[in-house]
Amino acid sequence: MDVFAAISQRSSVRAYKATDVEQDKLKKILEAARLSPSASNRQDWKFIVVRNKETKKKLAEAAFGQSFIGEAPVVIVACGTESDEIMGCGQPAYTVDVSIACAYMILQAYELGLGTCWIGAFEEGEVKKILKIPKEVRVVAMTPLGYPNQPPSQKFRKSLDQIVCFEKYEWKSGWLSGGADTSWGLR
Ligand SMILES: Cc1cc2nc3c(=O)[nH]c(=O)nc-3n(C[C@H](O)[C@H](O)[C@H](O)COP(=O)(O)O)c2cc1C
């Protein structure tokens, strides 16, 4: 599968089969995170793999009751370990670094036939308590991981001309103006 196929076909999975995730597949997904880029190559991250049923259930509760999280055979919790590092652009490095690593994992999982769902809605304090995460470490995201038990969902996306402009910021791009078909065939 090429990268664009994975990007365009992947969708969030919110129903999982009980089938376990093979260890070699899990390792490849974690390798995708390990090999991803980070600011100054800081690799300021830690990925907690959770298979324990009770712990997964608690994580689902900490994610405002998103029960499908607990139904997946694996949950990966992605943490930033150097939360006080601010990049020159003013953004904290760890949120960007950990998010890139998560995106890579999600695409790698898709290529292996596994589903994921980026989870950003959770009570960080609760997750930290459940997993004994130190105070200075931040939880950026988590994802259930497992074989999908649902058909792929349709993608709804803005068109390119709604989100791209050239040379300077424009509220509306002039590029494809004039009533042209602006969808570029992408959904
Ligand atoms: C930062 C972020 C936070 C998200 N948080 C949640 C979440 O807590 N629960 C959930 O079901 N989906 C969550 N999602 C998934 C989005 O709803 C989903 O990616 C979006 O609707 C596009 O759909 P798709 O992933 O199927 O293409 C999150 C996605 C991102 C990128």
Side-chain angles (χ1 to χ4, degrees):
M1 177 180 288
D2 68 29
V3 174
F4 190 73
I7 289 169
S8 56
Q9 290 163 24
R10 179 220 57 84
S11 60
S12 293
V13 173
R14 298 184 179 89
Y16 293 89
K17 293 182 179 159
T19 320
D20 209 357
V21 175
E22 299 86 339
Q23 198 62 15
D24 58 327
K25 288 193 175 183
L26 176 62
K27 191 172 175 210
K28 196 166 184 187
I29 290 161
L30 295 167
E31 274 288 299
R34 187 179 74 83
L35 296 171
S36 66
S38 60
S40 306
N41 201 19
R42 204 172 275 114
Q43 304 168 64
D44 47 347
W45 45 46
K46 182 81 91 178
F47 304 95
I48 307 172
V49 177
V50 179
R51 286 189 187 270
N52 181 278
K53 254 197 181 109
E54 275 310 300
T55 312
K56 286 186 298 176
K57 206 169 154 232
K58 285 183 193 163
L59 289 174
E61 280 159 19
F64 306 103
Q66 299 186 78
S67 54
F68 64 91
I69 297 169
E71 287 154 17
V74 175
V75 178
I76 300 175
V77 179
C79 305
T81 53
E82 292 174 33
S83 53
D84 48 7
E85 194 61 42
I86 307 295
M87 294 184 288
C89 64
Q91 300 286 340
Y94 79 95
T95 46
V96 178
D97 295 342
V98 175
S99 294
I100 293 170
C102 287
Y104 279 31
M105 283 199 288
I106 279 170
L107 289 175
Q108 181 56 68
Y110 182 77
E111 200 240 357
L112 295 169
L114 289 159
T116 56
C117 183
W118 190 301
I119 302 294
F122 55 83
E123 288 183 274
E124 188 191 18
E126 288 304 308
V127 173
K128 287 175 77 159
K129 258 191 249 166
I130 295 162
L131 301 176
K132 302 192 188 327
I133 295 170
K135 204 165 123 241
E136 66 279 9
V137 172
R138 299 295 308 267
V139 186
V140 176
M142 54 183 168
T143 180
L145 176 72
Y147 289 95
N149 200 15
Q150 65 172 66
S153 47
Q154 219 189 337
K155 261 198 200 316
F156 295 98
R157 294 293 191 267
K158 293 180 180 176
S159 62
L160 268 185
D161 73 323
Q162 286 177 293
I163 62 166
V164 180
C165 54
F166 296 94
E167 313 304 343
K168 64 181 171 60
Y169 192 95
E170 284 174 3
W171 289 101
K172 186 171 177 3
S173 169
W175 182 18
L176 292 172
S177 60
D181 173 14
T182 57
S183 71
W184 276 23
L186 296 171
R187 275 187 300 150

